[in-house]
Every structure is written in C-alpha cells, then in structure tokens.
Amino acid sequence: MEPFIYRRATDASQALALAAAPGAIFIAGGTELLNWLKEGIVRPGTLVDINGLQDLETIDTAPGRLRIGALARMSEVAAHPAVRRDYPAVAEALVRSASQQLRNMASMGGNLLQRTRCPYFRADAPVPCNKRAPGSGCAALRGADRHAAIFGWSDACVATHPSDVAVAFAALDAVVHVQGPQGAREVPFGDFYRLPGDRPQDDTTLRPGELIVAIEVPASAVAARSRYIKVRERASYEFALVSAAVGIDLDGATIRNARIALGGVAPKPWRLRVAERALAGRPFTVAAVRAALESGAFSEARPRRANGFKVDLAKRAVVRAAVGLGAGA
Ligand SMILES: Cc1cc2nc3c(=O)[nH]c(=O)nc-3n(C[C@H](O)[C@H](O)[C@H](O)COP(=O)(O)OP(=O)(O)OC[C@H]3O[C@@H](n4cnc5c(N)ncnc54)[C@H](O)[C@@H]3O)c2cc1C
C-alpha cells in the first residue's frame, strides 16, 4: 500500500472541494476501497472520508418514492419495514448481498460503485486486464470465462457487474442523485452504468469528483409486487452467478406492466424489455412468462465458451421470481 493523505469532510461542499485535489477519491464504508488499496487497484493521492456527511444517511419513505441516502448502510435499508413492504426486491437483493458484518459497514453509494469480481481484474500478480490497466488486453478472452458476461461485452472486456441491489434498482427505474463541481444532477439508472466498448476502465457515467448523494426509487404497484432471486455457487456469502429482479403490476389476473432485470450476465444490470413488452396484457401464468422469455428476449445474448448455461439459468431465475409473485400454473 502506498502513502496517501487522509481528509475527513463534514458536509457535501467540503467533500467536493477536497475531491478536487489530484488523485482524490471518496471513502465511505471502505469495504471495497481497502481491498483495492491493498491490491494496488487504486493509488489515491488523497482519501476523502465522507462518513461525516450525516444528511446522506437518511432513508426517506415519504409517499410516492423511496429516497435512500448514499451513506445509508446496506443492513439498515434491508431491514427497513417500509422498504420490505413497498420495495421487496430492494430488501431481498440487499439481504442476499455479502455478509451481515459487511452490510453493517457498507454504504449504498459505495455498493453501486463496487467493481467487477472478474478474477483477472482482482489478480494478485499483474495479468492482462483492460479494466485495471487500460491497453494491457483481456486475459478472460482466452481464459476462464464461466463467470463472464453473455450480454453487452466487448473484445476489450467480458466482465460482469457484481452489485445485487443495482439489479433491483434497474428493474424499478431508480434515479441516482449526484452532486459535483458543476452542480447537482439526476441520472436515470439505465444511464448510470456504461458498457465496456473500448473503454472498459470506466464503469459508470459519473464525472470526475462527483459525489452520489442519494438513490431514489419511485413507488409503484410494480415495486410493491417485486422479487429478487439470486443463484450462486454456494448458499451464502457469494456473488451472483445469475440473478433476476422481477416486478409485476396486475389488473385482476392480467399483467398490466412487467419489469425484469438480470444480474451476473452483463457489465451492467440488464433489462429484458422485449420480455416486459411481451408480457403486457397477458395472463399472469408461468406459461406466459416462459413464452415471453422465448420471444426474442435473449436474441442479443452472446454466450462465451464456458457460460452458455447462463441463458437457461437466467430464464429459470425469472420464472422462479414470477412463481414467488403468484404466477399461475
Ligand atoms: C467479501 C465481500 C463480499 C461481497 N459480496 C457482495 C454481494 O454478494 N453482493 C453485493 O452486491 N455486494 C457484495 N460486496 C460488495 C459490497 O457490497 C461493497 O463492498 C460495498 O457496498 C461498498 O460500499 P462501501 O461503503 O464500503 O464503499 P467504499 O469501499 O468506501 O467505496 C467503494 C467505491 O465507491 C466510492 N464511493 C463510495 N461512496 C461514494 C459516494 N457517495 N459518492 C461517490 N463515490 C463513492 C469510493 O470512492 C470507491 O470508489 C461484497 C464485498 C466483499 C468485500
């Protein structure tokens, strides 16, 4: 680990001013960042500790929306009664993330900015990884690709995004509120992450020095009837192989509106809009869900050598979520 300057901010404007220093980076829970420091993934000039920004700790469940401060801890959001009642996919995604100890430390803003778990990105000894060392190549292209993306990858990077709750946020059309040197702005969740293209080192559309202040999720019938299914290689304390966040708004037994997002399959949470459209107006049955998943929803999937199984696994995860939401036989 290399030396760095440590500064603690007490409000957002001070945090933004400190973040203007060369090589400055924010630290919240530190559960990701400390690993990066030890592994040499980042070498910051200054660490700007934002844990003194108490305004960012609030979880506001006013009617019409859920506003989660960027410093709210994952465990607090997961246990919040209104989140569990009105946004169950958000609570379920959080409960299935990491461990209780990590969730107690880890912030919601930091969760969105965690980086890929691709073994080549996290390798102890340097290996080609364009995300970690731009221009060095991608070892996964010829190496182990069981965990790689099936959607949205490029010849520069095949890594997946690891956050669970980001998948629920994508399905529920969340908005990320940020403040930066140029002022405040709102980023629709679909625009928050970027695909790798030839610039895989940039995971998000955040601009230099920008601070996430909150994540807002609109209240809706879809959010209230939502589920998160996570499939992983061991039952606990493991990242998703594949996951699905599904929300359904019903008019009697007919689907008025459906939302489906997948995790573990792409460099960002992946919305299945084709399947969502195919479900509108259909009876809420397993057969209708299966038919929607076969209606071109996976036509953009490009499985690699060892991860073709993710196509079927993702479909099964969506069906399981639908069954949990009451889909008929
Ligand atoms: C062993 C282990 C298992 C895990 N398992 C899972 C899992 O199953 N599912 C899952 O979803 N996650 C998992 N995680 C990831 C975990 O959720 C993240 O480490 C955590 O959420 C990061 O939050 P933090 O507050 O600790 O961020 P930090 O480590 O403090 O920061 C992470 C990044 O976010 C930036 N940052 C933090 N807050 C802000 C802000 N408000 N504005 C701008 N930038 C900010 C920092 O500069 C840094 O770049 C796991 C982590 C570990 C270590």
Side-chain angles (χ1 to χ4, degrees), residues 26 28-33 36 98 107 111 113-114 164 212 230 239:
F26 298 120
T31 60
E32 257 288 62
L33 193 51
W36 301 346
S107 69
N111 181 287
L113 296 180
Q114 63 178 291
D164 287 295
I212 301 177
K230 179 172 181 177
F239 288 90

Side-chain angles (χ1 to χ4, degrees), residues 5-26 46-50 53 209:
I5 298 165
Y6 171 84
R7 304 293 301 273
R8 189 173 167 89
T10 50
D11 61 40
S13 56
Q14 191 189 17
L16 293 176
L18 290 170
I25 185 168
F26 298 120
T46 303
L47 276 193
V48 180
D49 185 341
I50 56 173
L53 277 61

Side-chain angles (χ1 to χ4, degrees), residues 25-36 50 70 73-74 96-98 102 105-107 109-111 113-114 117 162-165 206 210-212 230 237-239:
I25 185 168
F26 298 120
I27 180 164
T31 60
E32 257 288 62
L33 193 51
L34 290 187
N35 289 329
W36 301 346
I50 56 173
R73 303 296 148 167
M74 290 169 69
R96 286 163 181 68
S97 301
L102 280 162
M105 283 292 289
S107 69
N111 181 287
L113 296 180
Q114 63 178 291
R117 291 279 153 180
S163 166
D164 287 295
V165 74
L206 271 187
E210 277 188 331
L211 177 72
I212 301 177
K230 179 172 181 177
Y237 199 29
E238 182 59 290
F239 288 90

